[in-house]
Amino acid sequence: MKNKICILFLLISTVFFAQTHKIIGKWKSVDDETGKALSIIEIFEKGGKIYGKVHEILEEKDKKKVCIYCDGEDKNKPIQGLIVIKGLNKKGNEYKGGKILDPKSGNLYNCTIMLDEKDKLKVRGFIGISLFGRTQYWYRVK
């Protein structure tokens, strides 16, 4: 009987976690200017905050590139495996209060993320207020 209760508890907690963080998983990032798929970003939760790392670079010639323009601990690290979304908090249906790194320029921007559709993620990077920024749409990898 105790085992059945334990299994039921685990199943219920898994369902609640999945509903709380629907953005957890792998997403195909798409360049907002060219429409070209760039990479697979893995979004995960750590210590109550949301992070995202470059799981895979899709263009073969770019797979071994390093972040030459990055500062601090990210400088000269391989872009594949690099944490590019840093420390977002859930606020209603958005994730905000963290940063997003552009490995091409090395710039760190304020960031908000929200589900636009079930399998479409709206990712906005900006300086200061959200009005001054760029939006990309990422698509869930199934």
Side-chain angles (χ1 to χ4, degrees), residues 36-126:
K36 183 177 179 182
L38 301 173
S39 62
I40 305 297
I41 306 295
E42 183 177 358
I43 296 180
F44 60 96
E45 187 265 340
K46 179 179 176 187
K49 295 187 181 261
I50 298 297
Y51 296 86
K53 72 175 180 176
V54 179
H55 177 75
E56 180 182 357
I57 296 175
L58 299 175
E59 189 71 39
E60 193 62 40
K61 68 179 179 59
D62 295 333
K63 288 187 183 262
K64 298 205 187 275
K65 284 190 174 180
V66 296
C67 196
I68 58 175
Y69 298 112
C70 291
D71 289 327
E73 65 182 29
D74 294 333
K75 184 153 185 73
N76 294 320
K77 276 192 174 176
I79 294 173
Q80 191 160 301
L82 193 65
I83 304 287
V84 292
I85 296 172
K86 303 176 184 219
L88 298 176
N89 296 298
K90 186 170 175 45
K91 304 274 190 214
N93 64 345
E94 285 187 320
Y95 294 82
K96 52 169 88 176
K99 302 286 185 181
I100 189 165
L101 173 67
D102 177 359
K104 288 181 183 176
S105 67
N107 292 331
L108 209 56
Y109 299 98
N110 294 326
C111 180
T112 60
I113 294 177
M114 67 182 295
L115 278 175
D116 193 55
E117 297 171 15
K118 180 183 170 208
D119 294 326
K120 185 178 178 184
L121 196 62
K122 180 180 179 181
V123 180
R124 181 142 183 90
F126 58 94

Side-chain angles (χ1 to χ4, degrees), residues 19-34:
Q19 290 176 349
T20 303
H21 296 297
K22 294 178 182 176
I23 67 167
I24 300 293
K26 293 181 182 168
W27 297 85
K28 185 183 296 184
S29 70
V30 177
D31 188 289
D32 56 305
E33 294 171 351
T34 65

